[in-house]
Amino acid sequence: MLRQSSGTLTVRASRQGLHPITNPVLAWLAAQAISRGLLTLFCRHTSASLLIQENAAPAARRDLEHYFERIAPEGGPYEHDDEGPDDMPAHLKAALTQTQLTIPVENGELRLGTWQGIYLFEHRRSAPKREIALHLIGE
Amino acid sequence: MLRQSSGTLTVRASRQGLHPITNPVLAWLAAQAISRGLLTLFCRHTSASLLIQENAAPAARRDLEHYFERIAPEGGPYEHDDEGPDDMPAHLKAALTQTQLTIPVENGELRLGTWQGIYLFEHRRSAPKREIALHLIGE
Amino acid sequence: MLRQSSGTLTVRASRQGLHPITNPVLAWLAAQAISRGLLTLFCRHTSASLLIQENAAPAARRDLEHYFERIAPEGGPYEHDDEGPDDMPAHLKAALTQTQLTIPVENGELRLGTWQGIYLFEHRRSAPKREIALHLIGE
């Protein structure tokens, strides 16, 4: 019999950039009575986003962060800067990555590849507290 | 008992750019007999896309539109222009944003953050009629 | 009564770039005892990704490939190059496109638009074998 379960992951990144959340997501999953199904993560913000990326090489994550700083730089020709120079670049980086991720679950585990980790991509310098809505459906 | 429901949202943007669809999505949701679950929006086009972004500041939306015009400009070194100069930039902008969004539903409401709105990102100048497939699963 | 089904699609692209997978996805779908619901594809790699794009014009696909080569070029200012010059561009292109796609299913068919095809976007020159996790829920 299929059922569903929902929750919220509250995270504060230690700084601007990629912040690993695979472990707290797995901890939440382990506490649910569903071991096969579909897990959805939904970032409830427009200046932070979600990304699945390389979980082994810190240099790859640094390159990713620098790349997004280059293609959506502070000091660009932006009209909107209500919350400072990192405001509009944050929205652009969020638009270029993901607000939502859905991952199949099998035998109580996420079907991530060996080198995949889940990251909160924090785009603000202030790194405020962020909420990620969680939803699990399955059996 | 879990069940599912499906539909189609037909939208025509008033112009090229971000066109808000949160309200018609909520109206469809309110008419379904499911108040907790998972809502999926799927854009059935390759020259328009979906985006969750800032719902309060019009300047942020204008900056987003201009940004995508800069990074995927008309007049680029494109081979494909069957439907005019906005044809290939439309495909590029669609590839850089989302064709599909999945949003958890709780108590009959989308779990969007306070500042999040759902947008059809229309990439063609002609702004044709667009179909967004809707799917809701839950109870 | 809702049920679910899961599987794996193993694909090797013939070269770097967009590799069509709509047909093998449809073949898998046709073998499942679910004709209405939600299909999720999850790419288990960080140097390949998924994209829904133009299925008719090969020139549009070539333009897409060239565009991503221009915005995430080999030889950029990257720190990470453990696996060669195409290593870091592969992660960037994956970050800019999709790791996961969820598509509504109705009457045993994907609700793709007329011009939409599903592609594995292979970012490595070597085009290794890739696994795409499949999950179907519905009735």
Side-chain angles (χ1 to χ4, degrees):
Chain A
M1 173 80 85
L2 297 185
R3 63 178 81 187
Q4 59 182 344
S5 183
S6 52
T8 304
L9 185 64
T10 303
V11 190
R12 191 192 291 268
S14 51
R15 56 173 194 82
Q16 200 182 27
L18 291 162
H19 179 81
I21 58 169
T22 312
N23 286 342
V25 170
L26 289 174
W28 183 83
L29 180 64
Q32 311 309 310
I34 294 171
S35 64
R36 180 167 176 249
L38 205 58
L39 176 68
T40 296
L41 291 79
F42 183 87
C43 178
R44 305 183 70 220
H45 307 275
T46 60
S47 57
S49 54
L50 300 171
L51 201 60
I52 288 187
Q53 264 297 331
E54 246 283 346
N55 61 11
R61 291 198 294 282
R62 285 192 294 268
D63 281 342
L64 272 160
E65 294 171 356
H66 294 150
Y67 177 75
F68 281 95
E69 283 163 24
R70 285 198 301 277
I71 65 169
E74 295 192 11
Y78 312 127
E79 182 184 350
H80 176 78
D81 64 353
D82 295 1
E83 302 186 35
D86 59 336
D87 187 352
M88 202 56 222
H91 294 304
L92 300 178
K93 291 173 194 170
L96 290 167
T97 52
Q98 319 300 322
T99 291
Q100 163 261 321
L101 289 171
T102 295
I103 310 171
V105 174
E106 198 85 35
N107 300 320
E109 306 205 351
L110 295 174
R111 292 198 65 193
L112 293 171
T114 310
W115 307 107
Q116 288 182 314
I118 313 171
Y119 292 87
L120 171 71
F121 202 171
E122 174 59 61
H123 305 306
R124 299 302 307 271
R125 292 184 173 276
S126 58
K129 199 154 65 175
R130 302 298 196 173
E131 282 187 5
I132 299 167
L134 302 172
H135 180 272
L136 179 63
I137 189 168
E139 62 202 317
Chain B
M1 176 77 89
L2 296 185
R3 64 178 81 187
Q4 60 183 342
S5 183
S6 53
T8 303
L9 184 65
T10 303
V11 189
R12 190 193 291 266
S14 50
R15 54 173 197 84
Q16 198 183 28
L18 291 163
H19 180 81
I21 58 169
T22 312
N23 286 341
V25 170
L26 289 175
W28 183 83
L29 181 65
Q32 311 308 311
I34 294 171
S35 64
R36 181 168 176 249
L38 206 58
L39 175 70
T40 296
L41 290 78
F42 183 87
C43 179
R44 305 183 69 219
H45 308 274
T46 62
S47 57
S49 55
L50 299 171
L51 199 61
I52 288 187
Q53 264 296 332
E54 245 284 347
N55 61 11
R61 291 198 294 281
R62 285 192 295 267
D63 280 342
L64 273 159
E65 293 171 357
H66 294 150
Y67 177 76
F68 281 95
E69 283 162 24
R70 286 198 302 277
I71 66 169
E74 294 192 12
Y78 312 127
E79 181 184 350
H80 175 78
D81 63 354
D82 294 2
E83 301 186 36
D86 59 336
D87 186 351
M88 201 57 221
H91 295 305
L92 300 178
K93 291 173 193 171
L96 291 168
T97 53
Q98 318 300 321
T99 291
Q100 162 261 320
L101 289 171
T102 295
I103 310 171
V105 174
E106 199 84 35
N107 301 319
E109 306 205 353
L110 295 174
R111 292 197 66 193
L112 293 172
T114 311
W115 308 107
Q116 288 182 315
I118 312 171
Y119 292 87
L120 171 71
F121 202 170
E122 174 58 61
H123 305 307
R124 298 303 308 272
R125 291 183 171 276
S126 59
K129 199 154 65 175
R130 303 298 197 174
E131 282 187 6
I132 299 168
L134 301 173
H135 180 272
L136 179 63
I137 189 167
E139 60 202 320
Chain C
M1 175 80 86
L2 296 185
R3 65 178 79 187
Q4 58 183 343
S5 183
S6 52
T8 303
L9 184 65
T10 303
V11 189
R12 191 191 291 267
S14 51
R15 55 172 196 83
Q16 198 183 27
L18 291 162
H19 180 80
I21 57 169
T22 311
N23 286 343
V25 170
L26 289 175
W28 183 84
L29 181 64
Q32 311 308 310
I34 294 172
S35 63
R36 179 166 176 249
L38 205 57
L39 175 70
T40 296
L41 291 79
F42 183 86
C43 178
R44 304 183 70 221
H45 308 274
T46 60
S47 57
S49 54
L50 300 171
L51 200 60
I52 289 188
Q53 264 297 329
E54 244 284 345
N55 61 11
R61 290 198 295 281
R62 286 192 294 268
D63 280 342
L64 272 160
E65 294 171 356
H66 294 151
Y67 177 76
F68 280 96
E69 283 163 24
R70 286 198 301 277
I71 65 169
E74 294 193 12
Y78 312 127
E79 182 185 349
H80 176 78
D81 63 353
D82 294 2
E83 301 184 37
D86 59 336
D87 186 351
M88 200 57 221
H91 294 305
L92 300 179
K93 291 173 193 171
L96 291 168
T97 52
Q98 318 301 322
T99 290
Q100 161 260 322
L101 289 171
T102 295
I103 309 172
V105 174
E106 198 84 36
N107 300 319
E109 306 205 352
L110 295 174
R111 292 198 65 194
L112 293 171
T114 311
W115 308 107
Q116 288 183 313
I118 311 172
Y119 293 87
L120 172 71
F121 202 171
E122 175 59 62
H123 305 306
R124 298 303 308 271
R125 292 182 171 278
S126 58
K129 198 155 65 175
R130 303 298 196 172
E131 283 186 6
I132 299 167
L134 301 173
H135 180 271
L136 178 64
I137 188 167
E139 61 201 319

